[in-house]
Amino acid sequence: MKKTLLLSVAALMASTALASAQGVLNLYNWGNYTSPELLEKFTAETGIQVTVTDFDSNDTALARIRQGGHGFDIVVPSDTYIQTWINEGLFVPLDMEVVTNHGNIAPQWVDVEFDPGREYTVPWAWGTTGVIVDTSVYSGDINTADVILNPPPELAGRINVIPEMSDVMAISIYYHGGERCTDDMDILRQVRDTLVSAKPNWLALDYGAVDSYAAGDFAAGVYWNGASMRVRLQNDNFAYGYPETGYPIWMDNAAVLADAQNPENAMRFINFILEPENAALISNFARYANGVTGAEEFMDEVMRDAPEIVVPEELVAAGRFGQSCPQAVNDIHTQIWTELLQ
């Protein structure tokens, strides 16, 4: 009798734990990038509680998932890293019986090079990486990488650079006339020398700098367009520039992890963010475009003609979408980046 009772209690506890697990979702995303309103709405509609853990770079996210034992269900890496995740078997294909809103992905974002046909990923947000400048401190041309790589005296010592290797390397390579995945050692040596020479003029390498810019702690930097818009909305002295020598265009993408503990809930969330009004919540919070057809009508009016969102016509051609570079090229970039950070 006692044994039967213990077994019954154990069974009850196991079923309770299972029910609890079915009501949770663990999201691994960039810091300050997930709309609280989005999560509240998802929980209200599904009963699933979402926990968000932040990462600060693509390399950090990839290393954490490779280790295993992380407990995350969904991750949001950038386009240039997606093929690595897929090749290493870290994602599961989307369950199209659950992800019924797959057709809402804007046509230009469906047959993408990094995930043809969107078998594994869906758009989270997309944007550009350029320069941000406090125009009350510096009144010169801001559509140039010189702001960061060869800064004027008034900006020296007041510069923040996002510590994202792919973005900073790309801007520097374009500045020297190369393409993203160049293996031209002459260009790469120039990139290394320029970055190492510029670094003493930088005050910090920091991701979460919106409030610091708005408070005037930084006067210029390499930054993303949406984050730059958030700065400007707090302090209208700031403006966003598109380096005329070239700037990255990128897309962050949500995918379900192969070792997800709550895969069904993850697929439901993936489907949820493909609803236009929900995709707009992502954009309204982080201030980036989203890649979902019909989301524009639900987005804040302030975004529709924002200079951080609408690229000046004469600088459109300077934008370049990311590439997944060969490993040999990535190794060289990593060597340069490691030297820079020392």
Side-chain angles (χ1 to χ4, degrees):
M1 178 70 178
K2 195 176 291 185
K3 183 177 180 180
T4 302
L5 178 61
L6 288 172
L7 288 173
S8 298
V9 171
L12 178 62
M13 290 177 66
S15 65
T16 301
L18 179 61
S20 176
Q22 289 174 341
V24 300
L25 175 70
N26 296 306
L27 173 63
Y28 194 33
N29 201 356
W30 296 86
N32 200 18
Y33 203 37
T34 309
S35 163
E37 186 178 355
L38 176 82
L39 302 185
E40 290 167 6
K41 183 178 179 184
F42 179 70
T43 299
E45 292 186 9
T46 66
I48 298 169
Q49 297 289 332
V50 184
T51 298
V52 181
T53 301
D54 296 344
F55 60 79
D56 61 4
S57 76
N58 278 295
D59 292 308
T60 297
L62 184 57
R64 180 69 185 89
I65 301 304
R66 280 171 169 166
Q67 290 173 1
H70 46 77
F72 303 128
D73 301 305
I74 293 176
V75 68
V76 188
S78 301
D79 54 287
T80 52
Y81 283 71
I82 294 297
Q83 274 299 309
T84 298
W85 290 79
I86 293 173
N87 293 341
E88 295 187 17
L90 299 174
F91 294 158
V92 292
L94 299 175
D95 182 348
M96 296 305 178
E97 292 187 3
V98 178
V99 187
T100 55
N101 290 324
H102 193 271
N104 290 345
I105 300 174
Q108 68 267 34
W109 297 115
V110 176
D111 199 26
V112 288
E113 181 181 347
F114 57 85
D115 183 15
R118 290 291 186 171
E119 182 181 356
Y120 294 91
T121 68
V122 302
W124 180 271
W126 71 272
T128 62
T129 307
V131 297
I132 181 172
V133 177
D134 184 340
T135 58
S136 70
V137 175
Y138 175 68
S139 59
D141 180 18
I142 66 170
N143 293 312
T144 171
D146 279 320
V147 167
I148 306 304
L149 301 178
N150 185 26
E154 54 264 56
L155 295 178
R158 302 186 62 185
I159 293 170
N160 177 65
V161 174
I162 50 171
E164 182 65 32
M165 180 181 75
S166 59
D167 283 335
V168 178
M169 285 294 296
I171 288 175
S172 304
I173 290 169
Y174 299 152
Y175 179 77
H176 286 288
E179 292 302 322
R180 175 72 179 83
C181 294
T182 184
D183 59 0
D184 185 321
M185 290 307 300
D186 287 338
I187 289 178
L188 291 172
R189 274 190 288 269
Q190 291 177 58
V191 167
R192 179 200 60 200
D193 293 347
T194 296
L195 288 172
V196 170
S197 177
K199 187 184 176 184
N201 293 302
W202 303 347
L203 177 61
L205 289 99
D206 184 17
Y207 282 101
V210 170
D211 292 338
S212 296
Y213 277 112
D217 296 338
F218 303 130
V222 175
Y223 219 19
W224 300 293
N225 63 314
S228 298
M229 180 178 176
R230 293 169 76 177
V231 173
R232 178 177 59 80
L233 293 176
Q234 295 183 54
N235 183 338
D236 60 10
N237 286 326
F238 282 89
Y240 181 74
Y242 302 84
E244 60 185 0
T245 47
Y247 57 88
I249 302 172
W250 49 265
M251 171 169 273
D252 292 332
N253 309 270
V256 179
L257 291 162
D259 54 356
Q261 300 299 299
N262 306 285
E264 293 182 6
N265 293 347
M267 291 295 174
R268 291 180 69 182
F269 187 79
I270 291 290
N271 192 56
F272 179 80
I273 64 175
L274 291 179
E275 289 282 354
E277 58 268 40
N278 298 333
L281 292 177
I282 294 174
S283 293
N284 290 339
F285 177 78
R287 301 303 182 187
Y288 297 98
N290 55 65
V292 172
T293 299
E296 294 84 358
E297 65 178 286
F298 300 99
M299 288 164 62
D300 291 343
E301 185 71 28
V302 71
M303 294 188 66
R304 298 185 183 178
D305 59 356
E308 300 87 356
I309 307 297
V310 181
V311 183
E313 185 175 351
E314 67 274 15
L315 293 169
V316 169
R320 307 180 198 183
F321 204 77
Q323 297 171 273
S324 297
C325 301
Q327 188 58 49
V329 172
N330 285 334
D331 289 343
I332 297 171
H333 289 189
T334 301
Q335 290 173 9
I336 295 171
W337 189 250
T338 301
E339 181 178 350
L340 178 69
L341 296 182
Q342 289 176 347

